[in-house]
């Protein structure tokens, strides 16, 4: 230190905190996830149901088969609601149910990195033609809790839930002009 009393000194430092996110046994979380932009596929503003693509959908019932793949340490109960182009739940004219392949309500078991759980499920849709014109997609309502096996397990950015093996079976018909 110099003997100069008028000298000025400065210093700085940086610090960081790493706090892993983990869930406890008392956790209860609800999260809606919207699957949208299906309206153009199923209908249009034309009275006959044909859209810009020239596709006509005459749907009496449809089944969307999918598989939930989870690497997050939560057990999730999942239900589905039909939504319109404004994101509002459609309450009349469209019946939607989400079940596992045995017909029971869907529960996705907790998973972890490298140890994902897979849960096949089916979204069943029945709609009249007017309600089908409003349909834009589905709101998946996920309600999660953490059981003792995963309490305190830290999350990382690689963990999540994926939908795979998606296919649609339609009772009714689809027509197009080539």
């Amino acid at each position: 230190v110099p003997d100069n009393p008028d000298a000025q000194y400065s210093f700085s430092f940086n610090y960081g905190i790493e706090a892993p996110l983990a869930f406890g046994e008392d956790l209860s979380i609800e999260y809606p996830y919207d699957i949208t932009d299906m309206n153009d596929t199923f209908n249009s503003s034309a009275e006959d149901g044909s859209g810009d693509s020239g596709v006509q959908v005459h749907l009496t019932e449809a089944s969307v088969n999918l598989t939930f793949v989870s690497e997050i340490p939560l057990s999730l109960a999942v239900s589905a609601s039909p939504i319109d182009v404004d994101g509002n739940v459609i309450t009349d004219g469209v019946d939607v149910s989400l079940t596992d392949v045995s017909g029971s309500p869907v529960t996705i078991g907790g998973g972890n990195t490298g140890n994902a759980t897979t849960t096949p499920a089916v979204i069943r849709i029945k709609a009249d033609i007017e309600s089908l014109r409003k349909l834009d997609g589905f709101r998946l309502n996920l309600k999660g809790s953490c059981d003792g096996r995963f309490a305190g397990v830290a999350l990382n950015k690689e963990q999540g839930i994926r939908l795979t093996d998606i296919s649609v079976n339609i009772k009714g018909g689809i027509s197009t002009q080539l």
Side-chain angles (χ1 to χ4, degrees), residues 37-50:
D37 298 327
M38 299 170 68
N39 190 272
D40 288 340
T41 302
F42 285 123
N43 70 80
S44 74
S45 59
E47 285 299 316
D48 65 357
S50 63

Side-chain angles (χ1 to χ4, degrees), residues 66-144:
L66 53 95
T67 300
F68 292 94
V69 179
S70 176
E71 287 188 334
I72 61 173
L74 295 175
S75 295
L76 297 166
V78 186
S79 62
S81 303
I83 56 175
D84 64 20
V85 293
D86 296 319
N88 300 312
V89 173
I90 301 171
T91 56
D92 293 321
V94 180
D95 292 323
V96 170
S97 66
L98 174 65
T99 64
D100 65 16
V101 292
S102 71
S104 299
V106 174
T107 300
I108 303 168
N112 207 340
T113 303
N115 190 20
T117 60
T118 58
T119 307
V122 180
I123 299 173
R124 288 187 176 79
I125 310 151
K126 292 182 182 179
D128 61 51
I129 190 70
E130 288 304 314
S131 298
L132 184 62
R133 288 186 178 136
K134 298 176 192 174
L135 183 67
D136 190 46
F138 308 100
R139 176 163 298 140
L140 297 179
N141 302 298
L142 298 103
K143 186 172 184 178

